[in-house]
Amino acid sequence: MAVGTAAALLAALGGILWLAARRFVGSSVQRLHQGRDSGLMRGKTVLITGANSGLGRATAAELLRLGARVIMGCRDRERAEEAAGQLRREVCPAGGPDSGPNSGGAGELVVKELDLASLSSVRSFCQEMLQEEPRLDVLINNAGVFQCPYMKTEDGFEMQFGVNHLGHFLLTNLLLGLLKSSAPSRIVVVSSKLYKYGDINFEDLNSEQSYNKSFCYSRSKLANILFTRELARRLEGTSVTVNVLHPGVVRTNLGRHIHIPLLVRPLFNLVSWAFFKTPEEGAQTAVYLASSPEVEGVSGRYFGDCKEEELLPKAMDESVARKLWDISEVMVGILK
């Protein structure tokens, strides 16, 4: 009995040490990526959707450190202002982005209201951007809805497809003129490895015949990739690039609609701590695509962990990508 107990304790200790080592290595990787030139993005304006929490917040923090002027496009202005205040305190040691030479080289934060579940909100946001912003160097389509119960956007679209694809589709198209006039400029699209489990069903894009929250999320992420590749084709010769990424499995509030039994939560929390990325780690590829000279002129590619990765054939189907683009134009009202 004593031998068994000792063995169990040793196994537990070994597991704890292994987990601690893994987190240390992960932090080292994060520090490596954060060793960028602090002025790399100075003078550049970056728009990030869903920047008040999770990956978006972490991406905003890193680009702010690099000197960018970061526009946080968020649905809830109050929560966004709160997040912006926290970021200013964390990133700008002199008390804010307008603190002059003592601000440590950090950029500026601006909060604007943007609800991707409302096409009228997207249009109003873009109108404000075009009136107030002389340039836009980087657009990061980050915001997303993950495996929610069936619900519809203000315009009657299934929520995941409506927000993750259609809202960003309209946003990007309405800001293309500003991006082109600011060239060389970049568009970064956040997708997911789960695209592999999705398909584009043109007969039921709105999921009115059947709804599976996991499949619909995967479909929206596949749509992100098809959109990126078709947009890259259309932008050839403009000096505006667009690339898509998967951040890996990250500990964020994106999974708030997933129910985890109370008794299982401690184990889930331990597993997520050991195996999931922190938001800061998950944001590194978006920051890389938004700022690195290594991807200057690179377009239409799929990245993970700051490296290009291969796509499944269904994500490279040009005919599906073009058809999805054409239908999306009609759905959001670009074409009647």
Side-chain angles (χ1 to χ4, degrees):
M1 179 69 71
V3 174
T5 302
L9 288 173
L10 286 172
L13 178 60
I16 292 171
L17 290 173
W18 180 84
L19 293 173
R22 187 187 183 282
R23 295 313 312 154
F24 176 79
V25 171
S27 296
S28 298
V29 172
Q30 179 182 332
R31 286 195 297 271
L32 176 65
H33 284 299
Q34 290 181 337
R36 301 179 176 97
D37 176 6
S38 61
L40 186 61
M41 295 296 288
R42 190 168 294 121
K44 295 185 182 296
T45 296
V46 181
L47 167 60
I48 308 173
T49 64
N52 62 288
S53 64
L55 283 175
R57 185 188 188 282
T59 302
E62 182 65 6
L63 291 172
L64 188 63
R65 289 187 183 96
L66 296 178
R69 180 172 184 270
V70 177
I71 300 173
M72 304 170 65
C74 303
R75 179 176 57 85
D76 189 322
R77 176 177 284 276
E78 184 176 345
R79 287 179 57 201
E81 292 286 3
E82 181 180 350
Q86 293 171 351
L87 284 171
R88 291 185 184 107
R89 291 189 291 272
E90 291 171 13
V91 179
C92 309
D98 300 319
S99 302
N102 296 323
S103 65
E108 178 187 0
L109 274 178
V110 178
V111 173
K112 292 184 183 290
E113 189 171 334
L114 168 64
D115 184 359
L116 289 159
S118 165
L119 296 184
S120 63
S121 174
V122 174
R123 292 183 184 278
S124 296
F125 173 87
C126 291
Q127 184 176 10
E128 181 180 342
M129 283 285 297
L130 296 176
Q131 289 174 347
E132 299 181 359
E133 301 297 330
R135 63 182 302 109
L136 178 60
D137 299 277
V138 182
L139 166 62
I140 303 180
N141 290 340
N142 164 81
V145 180
F146 180 72
Q147 296 191 11
C148 62
Y150 187 79
M151 58 183 76
K152 291 186 176 182
T153 68
E154 178 181 287
D155 304 278
F157 305 125
E158 185 275 311
M159 185 63 70
Q160 296 187 87
F161 190 75
V163 170
N164 300 352
H165 171 61
L166 291 175
H168 282 119
F169 179 88
L170 179 61
L171 176 76
T172 305
N173 272 280
L174 294 180
L175 294 178
L176 272 182
L178 185 57
L179 285 158
K180 289 177 180 177
S181 67
S182 307
S185 53
R186 305 181 183 187
I187 302 168
V188 178
V189 179
V190 179
S191 183
S192 167
K193 280 186 174 182
L194 293 177
Y195 87 86
K196 299 175 181 179
Y197 306 102
D199 288 296
I200 305 297
N201 178 7
F202 289 109
E203 302 303 315
D204 191 27
L205 283 178
N206 217 28
S207 301
E208 293 177 332
Q209 298 174 17
S210 64
Y211 180 72
N212 178 291
K213 63 182 182 181
S214 299
F215 169 79
C216 286
Y217 177 75
S218 296
R219 179 170 64 187
S220 72
K221 296 291 100 178
L222 175 58
N224 289 157
I225 298 172
L226 293 167
F227 161 70
T228 297
R229 290 179 58 82
E230 175 62 12
L231 180 58
R233 185 186 69 81
R234 292 169 179 254
L235 288 175
E236 289 178 0
T238 65
S239 296
V240 181
T241 62
V242 54
N243 291 290
V244 62
L245 69 98
H246 75 79
V249 184
V250 185
R251 295 196 307 273
T252 69
N253 65 352
L254 193 63
R256 59 190 176 273
H257 294 295
I258 297 178
H259 173 69
I260 300 173
L262 186 61
L263 293 176
V264 180
R265 286 181 189 174
L267 177 60
F268 176 81
N269 290 336
L270 178 62
V271 169
S272 67
W273 181 79
F275 295 102
F276 293 8
K277 292 180 179 180
T278 64
E280 291 72 23
E281 291 167 339
Q284 292 306 317
T285 304
V287 174
Y288 172 76
L289 291 175
S291 64
S292 176
E294 294 178 7
V295 289
E296 184 71 41
V298 175
S299 194
R301 310 292 177 82
Y302 174 67
F303 287 80
D305 292 325
C306 302
K307 299 185 297 292
E308 186 177 347
E309 296 187 3
E310 293 186 359
L311 286 165
L312 293 180
K314 65 180 176 181
M316 298 187 291
D317 190 320
E318 293 183 2
S319 63
V320 172
R322 293 183 187 188
K323 184 174 181 180
L324 178 63
W325 183 284
D326 292 341
I327 290 177
S328 298
E329 282 187 321
V330 175
M331 294 179 79
V332 302
I334 293 176
L335 293 180
K336 301 298 183 182

